[in-house]
Amino acid sequence: MPATSDASLEEAERLMTICNACRYCEGLCAVFPAMELRRTFDKGDLNYLANLCHSCGACYYDCQFSPPHEFKVNVPKTLAEVRSNSYQRYAWPGFLSGLFARNGLVIATAAALSVAGFIAGFIAYNDPTILFGTHTGPGAFYKLMPHDAMVMLFGGVFLYAILAMVMGLRTFWCNIGEPRSTLTETRSLWQAMKDAGRLSYLDGGGVGCMNEDEEPTDTRRTYHHLTFYGFMLCFAATSIATLYHYLLGREAPYPWYDLPVVLGTIGGIGLLIGPMGLLKAKMNRDEALRDEPRAGMEVAFLAMLFFTSLTGLALLFLRETPAMGLLLALHLGVVFALFLTLPYGKFVHGLYRFAALVRYAKERKEA
Ligand code: SF4
Ligand code: SF4
């Protein structure tokens, strides 16, 4: 059973009090310098520190008080528990967060298959020759599903995800006790963007990340980069395609050399390799560092990213064949499930981490 939110916070407070007296790890990441600015730790502080932590594991292996020492200091695992609990604590609406945390992969898979089945069934019911036909040229996708219906379905779930994430971020920001004015400080924002873009603190103080053993490597950071930048490229590809549609009157699918396809292909390759690498790293992770019981939503998120990319690339390569109809339905189903689960899993960690980095940049400037 995962430790309750209060138990994790109590343990985090105990560890931060020990670490604040020790301070041996202050050069490893942002967590320890931020901790040193405090003498006591309320819940907001602990959630802030937990979301600064990248779980690189360095402070566990470096610690003279880690098990079997009686102090049993395990900062990465405890902060991972607090962090995972923070996804639920700040999620909006709250009643959905527990449901997704317990059954993330099942709900995401069921949502993907249900939407794909509904789309494919609806097309086949109206005219099976359209579902299994070969469609080419501009507007080929919309012979299966009208553009306006696609926009309503996916625009709706996308806007819901944005609203839920903004509400969650707002609660996080209030809970850590940071005023809104911090968000207008350009220097702090810029520093946070640089730290987030480089994943500055996922290197165990410069040597790399400890994952399966005490040998540090940079592979987790590489897979994170592939996932993050792959996602951003796919998002850019979709945004440009939307502009093409509404501003230039150009309908998808586009030729292979066109910007949305080039960006989507490069991003898609990143989203195949990155999530696979992160899943592998998760499975190989030293048991002492694992936050096993809460892995459901993280696995669901990585799986949805991977399958969004896989079905998207399959659709690209087979779009002029009779497989296009089923592949389009499957791709749309996975994208729907991805959007639906975004506010309740690992994705929000990126938002909370960025907010925590903004606060850290401000505190560093003022210190
Ligand atoms: S993790 Fe261990 S070594 Fe590092 S600061 Fe805390 S108590 Fe000290
Ligand atoms: S980022 Fe690494 S070194 Fe820093 S607290 Fe987390 S696990 Fe420890």
Side-chain angles (χ1 to χ4, degrees):
M1 283 290 289
T4 62
S5 176
D6 283 346
S8 299
L9 287 166
E10 272 173 32
E11 175 63 1
E13 187 184 11
R14 182 184 79 88
L15 296 190
M16 288 299 100
T17 307
I18 295 172
C19 291
N20 218 3
C22 167
R23 300 195 170 188
Y24 179 75
C25 297
E26 62 186 359
L28 292 181
C29 66
V31 172
F32 295 97
M35 171 200 75
E36 289 174 12
L37 296 173
R38 296 164 167 78
R39 289 184 179 246
T40 57
F41 305 93
D42 63 24
K43 289 181 181 176
D45 290 328
L46 295 167
N47 280 304
Y48 159 59
L49 296 173
N51 278 285
L52 274 181
C53 171
H54 277 286
S55 226
C56 74
C59 62
Y60 177 76
Y61 293 108
D62 285 2
C63 182
Q64 60 270 39
F65 304 121
S66 58
H69 190 281
E70 61 181 321
F71 285 2
K72 293 188 172 34
V73 171
N74 188 339
V75 175
K77 184 170 182 175
T78 303
L79 292 190
E81 287 175 1
V82 173
R83 204 163 50 242
S84 297
N85 284 328
S86 76
Y87 305 159
Q88 286 188 56
R89 183 186 182 90
Y90 301 119
W92 182 92
F95 71 91
L96 282 180
S97 63
L99 193 68
F100 278 94
R102 285 190 298 277
N103 314 294
L105 190 56
V106 175
I107 294 177
T109 308
L113 293 178
S114 304
V115 173
F118 175 78
I119 293 172
F122 191 75
I123 301 166
Y125 178 75
N126 283 317
D127 186 350
T129 60
I130 292 185
L131 182 63
F132 299 107
T134 302
H135 310 282
T136 56
F141 294 148
Y142 311 129
K143 288 178 185 144
L144 291 120
M145 186 177 188
H147 181 264
D148 288 350
M150 262 191 217
V151 171
M152 272 176 58
L153 185 63
F154 292 93
V157 71
F158 181 65
L159 288 178
Y160 168 77
I162 297 285
L163 174 67
M165 288 188 289
V166 168
M167 295 298 284
L169 188 58
R170 187 170 160 271
T171 314
F172 173 72
W173 196 246
C174 292
N175 186 248
I176 66 173
E178 203 53 37
R180 279 190 201 162
S181 56
T182 306
L183 291 171
T184 58
E185 287 183 17
T186 45
R187 273 181 61 195
S188 302
L189 282 169
W190 178 237
Q191 184 61 47
M193 282 167 77
K194 285 193 291 185
D195 288 338
R198 295 178 192 142
L199 289 173
S200 299
Y201 302 109
L202 185 55
D203 66 356
V207 292
C209 181
M210 324 296 176
N211 194 50
E212 57 269 36
D213 51 34
E214 296 184 35
E215 287 296 315
T217 70
D218 234 1
T219 49
R220 261 185 87 221
R221 178 149 67 170
T222 305
Y223 292 136
H224 263 99
H225 277 318
L226 284 167
T227 304
F228 175 72
Y229 289 108
F231 183 87
M232 295 310 282
L233 284 174
C234 289
F235 185 72
T238 308
S239 304
I240 293 169
T242 305
L243 293 177
Y244 275 13
H245 187 94
Y246 287 110
L247 296 185
L248 305 179
R250 291 186 57 200
E251 291 190 326
Y254 304 109
W256 63 267
Y257 52 80
D258 219 328
L259 202 51
V261 180
V262 173
L263 294 180
T265 305
I266 299 170
I269 292 168
L271 277 185
L272 282 183
I273 302 169
M276 280 289 281
L278 288 174
L279 272 175
K280 186 165 168 274
K282 178 169 275 306
M283 285 190 290
N284 292 340
R285 195 149 175 77
D286 183 342
E287 275 184 27
L289 304 176
R290 283 190 202 174
D291 178 27
E292 199 76 75
R294 285 150 240 256
M297 270 313 294
E298 192 170 340
V299 172
F301 174 58
L302 291 173
M304 288 304 117
L305 280 179
F306 177 81
F307 284 114
T308 297
S309 176
L310 186 70
T311 53
L313 289 173
L315 184 60
L316 172 66
F317 291 115
L318 299 173
R319 63 188 177 177
E320 295 188 351
T321 74
M324 190 260 262
L326 283 178
L327 283 172
L328 181 65
L330 201 54
H331 181 59
L332 293 177
V334 179
V335 172
F336 185 92
L338 177 68
F339 285 165
L340 187 69
T341 52
L342 279 185
Y344 306 103
K346 188 73 180 171
F347 187 81
V348 293
H349 175 41
L351 302 179
Y352 298 166
R353 179 186 300 287
F354 181 74
L357 284 170
V358 174
R359 184 190 210 194
Y360 178 61
K362 181 192 145 198
E363 287 183 344
R364 221 169 27 167
K365 204 168 51 168
E366 292 172 349

